[in-house]
Amino acid sequence: MSGFCLQPAHFRALAAAILFSVSSAVLAQTAGGTLSVSFVPRGAAAKEKAIPVAGVAGGDIVVKNDGDKPLTKVRLLAKLDLLALANKGEWKAEGEDYVLEIPEIKAKSEIKIPLSLRVEAAPLPPGRKAQIVIEAKSGDVTAQAQGGLQVADCATAFHAELTRIRIGPLAEIRTIADDYRKPDLTLPRGRFFRVVPRKGDLGNLDRIAAGYQARMTANPEFGSEGMRYTIARWTNELRDYTGQEVNPGLCAGNYYMISGIRQTISPVTGRLDAPRKAAERALNLLRKETSAKDDEDLVKIALRVAENAGAKIENPPATAFAILERARDLLKDKPLPEDQLALLSLVETVAWIDAAGTRADKFAGAIENTIKGFSDAQHATCTCAF
């Protein structure tokens, strides 16, 4: 008996940091009131963490003799689904199951047998638990216990999400960056309404818009060697990371990695902030000048200003520039009061700033979607104990 109970050191190899969960308490079934068996999770088994493939979890099989006589040759049969014994000890394989014989359990006593389990496979998508069935038998007396462990192939699931990022938002960034330093030839070649002299904040808007108009919202700074190198290096490293082979360590330390990804690209995102903030401020000033509501966007304001000036636009187009062009054509033979001209001119000024902000938003959005994709993928798939 001493040789069986038996080598407890063999079962202490479970790392204390391993986290796993059992689906529910394992209930023992008794026969004749003399024999019972249960599987009791050990260590961190109650934690809501899945065990990854190749991960190890453990528990104790408790076999009790509640009778007044000793039980001899108690045979334990362990049926494991998606699991294998990490340390067989005195267990012997019997087909796909494992068998262990206890020479004797004295009356009114119990024996505790450590069990170390390694996850062999996990279903994708997750949801099905690894099942454990323990059967104890002595002569005609039989008892059974059943339970389950939450398992998951976190590395494979995370890798699949990384692939989606690589062929999705990450793949767009280099193209967007190359386009961003070039003029947007879809924009108007000139203004539809002349600039009306303005002072203060509104005058600043005209100066900002003039710069964007002159460059057709191109940002030549992104054509510099330093900026192009930063973007190329960042995207290349992320492509290598998202394209690597599946490894259980993929999920490790990603909180720090994501912070590093954001920091490395900050020279780019920092320069995208200026046109985005300028567009937000310009729209707020336009709302104030036109008594617009907070939820009115540039297109709605442009349409209302055009109609107030006498341009009744049927089937209005979807952009402010197109509305202004239509208004110019409808008003070209009508005298336009200076205050109406000033508002139409201001709408056009804001439209140029908005166009620059929209391009910066697209660029920044692709970067943010890539970084957020890593974070979302980690939270969704890296739920394993390791």
Side-chain angles (χ1 to χ4, degrees):
M1 222 8 235
S2 59
F4 161 71
C5 238
L6 315 244
Q7 314 299 330
H10 292 170
F11 299 95
R12 290 176 186 160
L14 292 178
I18 296 175
L19 304 178
F20 52 90
S21 66
V22 175
S23 60
S24 60
V26 180
L27 300 178
Q29 298 178 355
T30 63
T34 59
L35 180 65
S36 68
V37 62
S38 62
F39 178 77
V40 182
R42 178 161 41 86
K47 302 294 184 181
E48 292 300 320
K49 287 285 186 178
I51 310 166
V53 174
V56 177
D60 295 313
I61 299 174
V62 180
V63 188
K64 291 183 179 181
N65 178 5
D66 298 321
D68 298 324
K69 297 179 180 181
L71 292 172
T72 59
K73 295 183 179 180
V74 179
R75 185 177 186 268
L76 293 184
L77 177 67
K79 298 181 178 182
L80 307 177
D81 175 43
L82 305 178
L83 302 168
L85 291 184
N87 189 338
K88 292 182 181 179
E90 297 187 19
W91 289 88
K92 293 181 173 55
E94 188 176 274
E96 296 183 353
D97 303 327
Y98 298 93
V99 173
L100 178 70
E101 186 171 296
I102 304 172
E104 182 182 74
I105 304 177
K106 298 182 183 303
K108 303 296 183 181
S109 65
E110 69 178 39
I111 288 180
K112 184 182 295 185
I113 304 162
L115 199 64
S116 185
L117 301 168
R118 182 180 64 251
V119 179
E120 295 290 282
L124 284 177
R128 185 163 67 89
K129 295 179 180 179
Q131 297 299 313
I132 305 166
V133 177
I134 306 295
E135 182 181 278
K137 185 174 183 179
S138 176
D140 295 331
V141 180
T142 303
Q144 190 179 84
Q146 183 172 340
L149 295 177
Q150 187 71 42
V151 298
D153 192 346
C154 289
T156 299
F158 186 49
H159 188 271
E161 291 300 310
L162 294 183
T163 300
R164 289 199 318 111
I165 295 171
R166 186 176 71 255
I167 64 178
L170 180 59
E172 299 175 358
I173 291 176
R174 289 283 280 274
T175 300
I176 294 173
D178 287 341
D179 289 342
Y180 191 59
R181 60 189 175 87
K182 303 173 185 176
D184 182 354
L185 300 181
T186 67
L187 294 172
R189 296 298 189 271
R191 288 187 66 106
F192 301 115
F193 297 94
R194 64 177 174 82
V195 176
V196 175
R198 284 178 276 262
K199 297 180 180 180
D201 289 338
L202 298 183
N204 287 334
L205 294 185
D206 287 327
R207 286 186 285 274
I208 294 171
Y212 288 139
Q213 182 184 351
R215 301 190 303 271
M216 301 289 283
T217 70
N219 193 326
E221 182 181 13
F222 281 78
S224 68
E225 288 299 320
M227 192 65 69
R228 295 176 74 175
Y229 173 80
T230 298
I231 295 168
R233 177 68 180 269
W234 190 77
T235 53
N236 285 340
E237 287 183 354
L238 290 188
R239 276 206 297 262
D240 289 342
Y241 175 75
T242 56
Q244 66 183 292
E245 294 181 357
V246 176
N247 186 294
L250 270 177
C251 282
N254 280 294
Y255 292 104
Y256 304 103
M257 187 200 73
I258 291 168
S259 176
I261 289 173
R262 191 178 295 279
Q263 181 63 32
T264 304
I265 201 64
S266 60
V268 174
T269 55
R271 285 165 175 79
L272 294 173
D273 283 343
R276 299 171 73 194
K277 291 179 179 178
E280 182 180 0
R281 176 169 173 74
L283 181 56
N284 287 334
L285 288 172
L286 179 63
R287 285 175 177 148
K288 182 178 179 180
E289 287 296 308
T290 59
S291 300
K293 297 178 181 179
D294 291 342
D295 61 350
E296 282 192 271
D297 61 16
L298 179 60
V299 172
K300 288 182 179 179
I301 295 173
L303 185 61
R304 179 162 55 82
V305 170
E307 290 180 345
N308 289 343
K312 302 300 180 181
I313 300 176
E314 297 181 1
N315 300 319
T319 68
F321 281 127
I323 290 172
L324 291 168
E325 183 178 19
R326 188 86 63 84
R328 179 203 61 186
D329 295 341
L330 292 172
L331 298 171
K332 63 182 179 181
D333 297 327
K334 299 178 182 178
L336 194 60
E338 193 67 17
D339 60 337
Q340 298 292 345
L341 173 61
L343 287 179
L344 287 166
S345 173
L346 179 60
V347 169
E348 188 167 3
T349 288
V350 174
W352 277 104
I353 299 174
D354 179 76
T358 298
R359 292 191 77 181
D361 264 338
K362 181 180 179 181
F363 195 172
I367 293 173
E368 184 58 31
N369 286 339
T370 299
I371 298 173
K372 187 175 183 297
F374 284 113
S375 180
D376 289 348
Q378 177 186 350
H379 288 298
T381 63
C382 290
T383 57
C384 291
F386 294 172

